[in-house]
Amino acid sequence: MFITIEGGEGCGKTTQVGRLVSRLERSGRKALMVREPGGTRLAELVRGLLKDEREDPPCDRAELLLFLAARAQLVRNVIKPALADGAWVVSDRFCDSTFAYQGYGRGLPLDILRIANDFACDGLLPDRTVLLDVEPAVALERMRERAARTKESADRIELAGADFHARLREGFLRMAAENPGRISVVDAAGTVEEVEERIWKSLKLSV
Ligand code: Z5A
């Protein structure tokens, strides 16, 4: 099974992807964690460009194509072989982030995104997607705490304004309403353990 975890910054995706993979392993399943953009040498190089290139920042179309190039490489070299080998793959972001950020956020046409994403993924779609939804104020507080702890500055995409982030959330929720069989919306407020439990229940797995 191919599971993706989606949502805006600070909703807790990375924390929960790790917990879900451990839980799948404890239940006897072989599981692999990947992140987007990233997960292969090429995709990690592209990730650096996407997050940190300030001197010649990618225009919206170049940004889209870079995310898709990273995804094509990850799907072909890591995700499809792992699924073929019987593993469960859990991805920290995947195609819904492209529709949310480059579509609803940047305003690129959704019909073009669908065709281009399908080409990049060679037809692969997640079996299940968990959308972690949280009030922007809660997410911002988590990001502030993390920044204070790690002394890391915000990346290029995090610096987009509040309007952009409001459009993202609306876009994610709209996609969930349009794909109720695949996307479950999970409340990401509360403790890490509470959110982990909600995610596990939402997946309705046998063990
Ligand atoms: N992007 C795109 O535009 N198009 C695409 O197609 C794709 C991606 C695939 C990737 O950034 C960027 O690429 C992202 C979207 C864009 N843009 N931005 N901005 P990234 O991978 O570096 O970061 P991110 O995906 O945005 O995630 P994040 O900022 O690292 O946050 P997170 O993964 O959702 O949360 P976290 O790291 O698990 O937790 C954040 C902090 O909160 C951390 O200190 C935790 O310890 C804490 N935390 C987590 N859960 C809780 C709870 N429940 N309570 C309290 N504190 C918590």
Side-chain angles (χ1 to χ4, degrees), residues 102-103 107-114:
Q102 281 63 54
L108 293 177
L110 294 176
D111 52 344
I112 303 231
L113 263 56
R114 274 190 206 99

Side-chain angles (χ1 to χ4, degrees), residues 9-10 135-148:
E9 291 97 277
E135 286 297 326
V138 174
L140 196 66
E141 189 46 38
R142 288 181 187 171
M143 301 300 284
R144 279 208 191 103
E145 272 175 32
R146 184 175 67 182

Side-chain angles (χ1 to χ4, degrees), residues 78-180:
V78 179
I79 300 180
K80 282 197 170 183
L83 292 172
D85 194 35
W88 289 56
V89 178
V90 183
S91 185
D92 186 345
R93 294 191 180 282
F94 197 67
C95 56
D96 298 301
S97 282
T98 308
F99 294 106
Y101 282 79
Q102 281 63 54
Y104 291 97
R106 302 279 194 226
L108 293 177
L110 294 176
D111 52 344
I112 303 231
L113 263 56
R114 274 190 206 99
I115 294 167
N117 177 66
D118 188 56
F119 180 67
C121 298
D122 195 15
L124 179 74
L125 251 186
D127 297 301
R128 300 293 305 274
T129 296
V130 174
L131 170 59
L132 291 181
D133 185 54
V134 72
E135 286 297 326
V138 174
L140 196 66
E141 189 46 38
R142 288 181 187 171
M143 301 300 284
R144 279 208 191 103
E145 272 175 32
R146 184 175 67 182
R149 193 165 15 93
T150 61
K151 309 266 183 283
E152 269 179 22
S153 51
D155 67 39
R156 197 181 57 81
I157 301 170
E158 280 165 2
L159 291 172
D163 278 7
F164 179 84
H165 291 284
R167 287 201 300 279
L168 291 183
R169 188 176 184 208
E170 201 188 306
F172 271 128
L173 290 171
R174 189 178 300 180
M175 288 187 278
E178 288 168 357
N179 298 278

Side-chain angles (χ1 to χ4, degrees), residues 14 33-53 66-75 77-78 91-93:
T14 307
M33 171 162 81
V34 295
R35 70 169 179 181
E36 272 239 271
T40 74
R41 185 181 141 73
L42 179 101
E44 290 292 334
L45 290 170
V46 171
R47 179 183 176 89
L49 284 175
L50 280 163
K51 286 173 71 89
D52 300 323
E53 179 54 42
L66 286 168
F67 276 115
L68 295 181
R71 181 165 309 143
Q73 195 78 356
L74 181 68
V75 166
N77 289 354
V78 179
S91 185
D92 186 345
R93 294 191 180 282

